[in-house]
């Protein structure tokens, strides 16, 4: 772990208690609709990577075998409380999206929402998501991505100049391109809010 990783992780630890209150407007306006759309597709052994405070947990179907990974202890603690309140049985552990502590092809479904924008190395993380997903398994992604509007994209590029070095947060990215290049079959796709939000359900070949 680099000193930059350490700094970012501590920053997530500090924000854990207030994260949901600070994000509530964005959750209503942009992020919230992605959660049921993605999660109801999960089946079997399901891994969620960088699950944060566990906002997806209420949307998973009953009967899945759920594992969640998150690198911030404090975010993970909030997720654990949410799982307990929901009576949702979950194996929650610390881990890094860029180096997942699982064997190849361990999961039927792999989920990651609104986190690839900040994991440090998006390509490596997507490689890891694909590695732990079994052939024929389903990858479920949602993120804020580069806008379809030229003006908004330009503003996002400006924001990246500050947010990437300071917060590790990238606005101009498009995970779907890598997923398609890896040969996944896209079974579900939504792009909305001027192209800012992208939801993808893609099957590993
Ligand atoms: C914006 S929050 C999103 C949380 C959650 N996925 C959601 O949809 O609400 C990003 C989360 O990614 C976690 N994270 C960032 N980089 C990570 C990494 N390399 N490995 C694991 N978790 C990471 C942060 O600690 C934070 O909880």
């Amino acid at each position: 772990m680099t000193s930059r990783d350490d700094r970012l992780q501590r920053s997530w630890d500090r924000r854990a208690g207030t994260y949901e209150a600070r994000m509530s407007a964005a959750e209503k306006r942009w992020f919230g609709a992605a959660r049921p759309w993605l999660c109801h597709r999960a089946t079997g052994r399901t891994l969620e990577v960088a699950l944060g405070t566990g906002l997806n947990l209420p949307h998973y179907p009953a009967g899945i075998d759920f594992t969640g990974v998150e690198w911030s202890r404090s975010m993970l603690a909030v997720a654990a409380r949410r799982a307990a309140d929901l009576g949702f049985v979950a194996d929650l552990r610390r881990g890094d999206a860029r180096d997942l502590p699982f064997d190849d092809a361990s999961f039927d479904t792999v989920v990651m929402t609104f986190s690839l924008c900040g994991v440090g190395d998006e390509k490596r993380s997507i490689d890891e998501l694909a590695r732990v997903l079994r052939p024929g398994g389903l990858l479920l992604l949602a993120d804020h991505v580069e806008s379809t509007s030229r003006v908004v994209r330009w503003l996002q590029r400006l924001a990246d100049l500050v947010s990437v070095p300071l917060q590790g947060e990238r606005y101009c990215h498009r995970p779907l391109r890598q997923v398609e290049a890896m040969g996944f079959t896209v079974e579900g796709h939504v792009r909305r809010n001027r192209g800012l939000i992208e939801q993808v359900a893609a099957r590993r070949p």
Side-chain angles (χ1 to χ4, degrees):
M1 176 143 335
T2 64
S3 59
R4 183 170 189 273
D5 289 345
D6 198 42
R7 178 173 61 79
L8 291 175
Q9 209 175 88
R10 276 188 280 113
S11 152
W12 280 111
D13 281 341
R14 278 194 304 276
R15 283 184 268 169
T18 54
Y19 175 76
E20 289 182 19
R22 279 185 298 106
M23 295 299 290
S24 69
E27 185 68 20
K28 279 198 196 97
R29 184 161 183 192
W30 292 308
F31 303 152
R35 303 188 187 283
W37 187 92
L38 287 168
C39 296
H40 91 271
R41 296 165 197 254
T43 56
R45 294 161 302 164
T46 297
L47 172 69
E48 184 175 339
V49 178
L51 88 160
T53 58
L55 286 170
N56 288 327
L57 296 181
H59 302 287
Y60 285 111
I64 61 168
D65 175 4
F66 184 87
T67 303
V69 166
E70 162 62 50
W71 74 350
S72 153
R73 276 180 212 284
S74 309
M75 295 293 272
L76 196 61
V78 179
R81 277 201 297 280
R82 171 168 276 118
D85 289 348
L86 291 167
F88 184 87
V89 179
D91 173 359
L92 300 181
R93 20 176 136 168
R94 286 190 74 214
D96 191 326
R98 299 161 298 183
D99 187 14
L100 292 171
F102 305 106
D103 292 336
D104 296 356
S106 298
F107 295 96
D108 302 298
T109 307
V110 173
V111 183
M112 192 156 175
T113 60
F114 307 108
S115 299
L116 276 169
C117 47
V119 282
D121 187 338
E122 177 171 302
K123 178 177 183 317
R124 191 163 140 195
S125 302
I126 294 175
D127 285 343
E128 278 293 89
L129 303 181
R131 179 184 68 74
V132 301
L133 187 62
R134 70 164 168 80
L138 197 59
L139 179 64
L140 299 171
L141 299 178
D143 224 312
H144 58 76
V145 297
E146 62 185 15
S147 173
T148 43
S149 148
R150 203 179 319 157
V151 176
V152 177
R153 224 166 34 239
W154 184 79
L155 293 171
Q156 288 176 301
R157 283 197 191 119
L158 282 183
D160 275 358
L161 293 176
V162 179
S163 64
V164 173
L166 284 186
Q167 295 176 305
E169 181 87 8
R170 186 176 299 281
Y171 294 95
C172 278
H173 72 136
R174 200 77 203 288
L176 178 60
R177 291 198 188 111
Q178 183 181 340
V179 171
E180 285 178 327
M182 292 166 95
F184 279 65
T185 306
V186 176
E187 293 187 349
H189 180 228
V190 170
R191 201 162 176 203
R192 57 185 163 82
N193 303 86
R194 292 176 175 235
L196 281 172
I197 303 296
E198 188 159 53
Q199 301 162 200
V200 174
R203 199 160 292 279
R204 189 185 152 178

